Amino acid sequence: MTKILVIDDEPQIQKFLRISLTSQQMEVVSAENGHQGLNAATEHMPDLIVLDLGLPDMDGKHVLQHLVAETRIPVLVLSVRASEAEKVACLEMGAY
């Protein structure tokens, strides 16, 4: 079973992704902030991480840096930030 880690502080987004992904027979692990997300990534070793850039405790790009440096888990960035430069920066850091 594919395991997905969702790092997002918005309960509605967590709920939507959990329902959508579990309906496709995927296991979902959730984290509400960057520190929880980093811990969950090493503890659960998911197949994919969905990362929000706007986290309450640390910038999502900082979380992305740690994930790319410490794991080989693909990271899909999910964000409402509109800056093209920020999107490009995340792609250059290794996000999808």
Side-chain angles (χ1 to χ4, degrees):
M1 179 178 286
T2 302
K3 186 184 301 183
I4 310 292
L5 169 59
V6 177
I7 306 173
D8 196 304
D9 64 324
E10 294 291 330
Q12 313 90 296
I13 294 173
Q14 287 273 3
K15 182 178 180 180
F16 171 76
L17 290 173
R18 180 173 299 282
I19 291 168
S20 300
L21 295 170
T22 56
S23 74
Q24 299 300 310
Q25 287 71 48
M26 296 180 192
E27 179 182 350
V28 178
V29 177
S30 299
E32 296 176 359
N33 62 52
H35 288 100
Q36 287 179 3
L38 292 171
N39 289 336
T42 57
E43 180 180 337
H44 296 282
M45 293 303 296
D47 300 295
L48 175 73
I49 298 172
V50 177
L51 172 65
D52 180 24
L53 295 182
L55 299 171
D57 62 339
M58 58 196 311
D59 189 274
K61 288 189 292 186
H62 188 69
V63 176
L64 176 60
Q65 272 183 317
H66 281 282
L67 292 169
V68 170
E70 297 173 16
T71 74
R72 293 190 163 268
I73 304 167
V75 180
L76 177 67
V77 171
L78 175 69
S79 182
V80 296
R81 294 184 184 177
S83 165
E84 288 293 321
E86 198 160 20
K87 293 174 186 176
V88 170
C90 288
L91 291 170
E92 289 174 347
M93 292 170 61
Y96 293 88

